[in-house]
Amino acid sequence: MTLATTILGTVGGGLEVGRLGLGCMGMSAFYTGRGADDDEAVRTIRRAIDLGVTLFDTAEMYGPHANEELLGRAIAGRRDEVTIATKFGVYPAADGERSTDGSPARVRAALEGSLQRLGTDHVDLYYQHRMDPGTPIEDTMGALAELVAAGKILHIGLSEAGTATIRRAHAVHPVTALQSEYSLWTRDPEVEVLPVLRELGIGLVPYSPLGRGFLTGAIRSVEALDPSDFRRSNPRFAGENLEHNIRIVEHVDRVAAEVGATPAQVSLAWLLAQGDDVVPIPGTKRVDRLEENVAAVDVLLTPEQLADLGSIQAPAGDRYADMTPIGR
């Protein structure tokens, strides 16, 4: 099986990537089992390349730094087969919280660190991980544009940015992609963000396209998750919310039974049907799960099934405990 490709962004020729990418975050951060078997994670990344996955997503804060180092190790000798996407702008603070910094000096320093850890001389897609309220987006984009001119970045992306910020950034330098949470579990981008992206010719890269694993049907309780697993503090996985949200998985399950696929494959197939400018990046540490996810490109949903899935009600609970996204 080899994935078909698509184009993210329409300005400057865009960025050609496979229809599905691979989110590498969970290999090193936030989720149960992170860092437990780096060799298996490396095998998963290399198997993804064999299957035609080209877009690999990481960030300097995943670990921190460990995930970029892991990806660099996995793609050694195969750099020309992959599209590296990484992020800057969110940093651990001394008080245990996280801070944002989009200042030009920090942009340049962050990129140099990422290039070293990834073992490359350029990043294909460089995202601002979270917006810095203390630095005008025009200043951040100006620094990024200089790095594009220097050949150290090929494309610029934003993550979890609002429409006004997207427009202001795009006016300074073309933005190729926006990364945001989007799935049958989170439909927020459809209201305002996706129309603006399509107006400007910017691609959408959905993170957590399987609802942080919930849409696979494998999570019915948080008891099996590590005590430090991020999902234990996520409102959608808590108590009555979790019980209420299981109905979403049951709905996906019914469609999956109709088409002879897994719930994960149906969830990804629904996302892929939203447009060629939508490139989900499901994450996994395991080769078997990777192969299951990639097979979603061959799952064809009828218009009736797409409408049925689209009718799923929003889940109970906010996306984050404090509504300040910290993962991707």
Side-chain angles (χ1 to χ4, degrees):
M1 179 191 304
T2 299
L3 287 178
T5 60
T6 191
I7 303 293
L8 281 174
T10 59
V11 180
L15 177 63
E16 184 173 1
V17 294
R19 285 295 279 125
L20 278 175
L22 177 62
C24 299
M25 181 191 77
M27 298 174 178
S28 308
F30 298 116
Y31 289 169
T32 296
R34 61 190 182 278
D37 192 344
D38 283 352
D39 288 341
E40 173 67 5
V42 167
R43 286 192 292 272
T44 299
I45 292 169
R46 291 176 178 169
R47 177 59 176 153
I49 300 172
D50 293 339
L51 292 172
V53 174
T54 60
L55 180 61
F56 293 84
D57 185 89
T58 184
E60 64 171 334
M61 78 162 289
Y62 299 162
H65 303 157
N67 198 239
E68 287 184 323
E69 293 169 349
L70 176 68
L71 180 58
R73 171 187 161 195
I75 65 172
R78 305 188 72 173
R79 176 65 179 94
D80 60 349
E81 299 177 66
V82 304
T83 297
I84 296 175
T86 192
K87 313 177 200 70
F88 72 94
V90 181
Y91 308 98
D95 59 3
E97 298 298 320
R98 291 173 175 82
S99 62
T100 56
D101 188 345
S103 64
R106 186 57 202 157
V107 170
R108 290 187 285 269
L111 178 63
E112 290 304 319
S114 290
L115 292 176
Q116 182 177 4
R117 289 186 290 273
L118 290 162
T120 185
D121 62 357
H122 71 279
V123 168
D124 300 288
L125 178 58
Y126 200 44
Y127 293 101
Q128 183 172 7
H129 204 156
R130 293 293 181 269
M131 303 306 104
D132 174 8
T135 303
I137 189 62
E138 290 82 0
D139 292 354
T140 304
M141 289 297 293
L144 290 168
E146 291 175 1
L147 293 167
V148 171
K152 293 187 175 184
I153 301 171
L154 300 189
H155 297 268
I156 297 173
L158 301 175
S159 179
E160 291 279 1
T163 56
T165 300
I166 294 168
R167 290 186 184 279
R168 288 169 55 197
H170 197 67
V172 175
H173 186 281
V175 175
T176 296
L178 176 81
Q179 187 173 121
S180 192
E181 187 172 357
Y182 182 38
S183 68
L184 286 169
W185 171 258
T186 298
R187 304 280 293 278
D188 302 14
E190 294 176 347
V191 180
E192 295 181 355
V193 171
L194 196 48
V196 169
L197 297 183
R198 286 176 169 159
E199 173 194 336
L200 300 177
I202 299 170
L204 177 62
V205 177
Y207 73 80
S208 295
L210 296 176
R212 304 191 179 281
F214 190 80
L215 293 173
T216 67
I219 300 175
R220 299 289 175 134
S221 165
V222 297
E223 296 309 312
L225 303 178
D226 288 347
S228 59
D229 191 302
F230 157 78
R231 290 167 291 188
R232 277 185 170 263
S233 62
N234 186 287
R236 293 186 178 179
F237 288 83
E240 293 182 358
N241 286 348
L242 181 63
E243 293 178 13
H244 178 78
N245 292 336
I246 286 174
R247 64 182 171 76
I248 296 175
V249 176
E250 292 172 345
H251 195 141
V252 176
D253 261 334
R254 290 196 296 272
V255 177
E258 291 177 11
V259 298
T262 67
Q265 290 169 340
V266 166
S267 299
L268 292 171
W270 178 87
L271 262 182
L272 291 169
Q274 303 312 302
D276 289 344
D277 55 350
V278 177
V279 179
I281 50 169
T284 183
K285 302 179 287 291
R286 293 166 41 187
V287 170
D288 59 338
R289 290 296 190 190
L290 166 75
E291 293 174 343
E292 175 187 347
N293 292 343
V294 170
V297 300
D298 294 325
V299 175
L300 299 179
L301 300 173
T302 66
E304 293 76 18
Q305 288 165 337
L306 289 170
D308 183 22
L309 292 166
S311 71
I312 291 175
Q313 297 298 306
D318 291 332
R319 289 198 294 138
Y320 294 89
D322 60 1
M323 284 310 294
T324 303
I326 60 170
R328 298 190 186 281

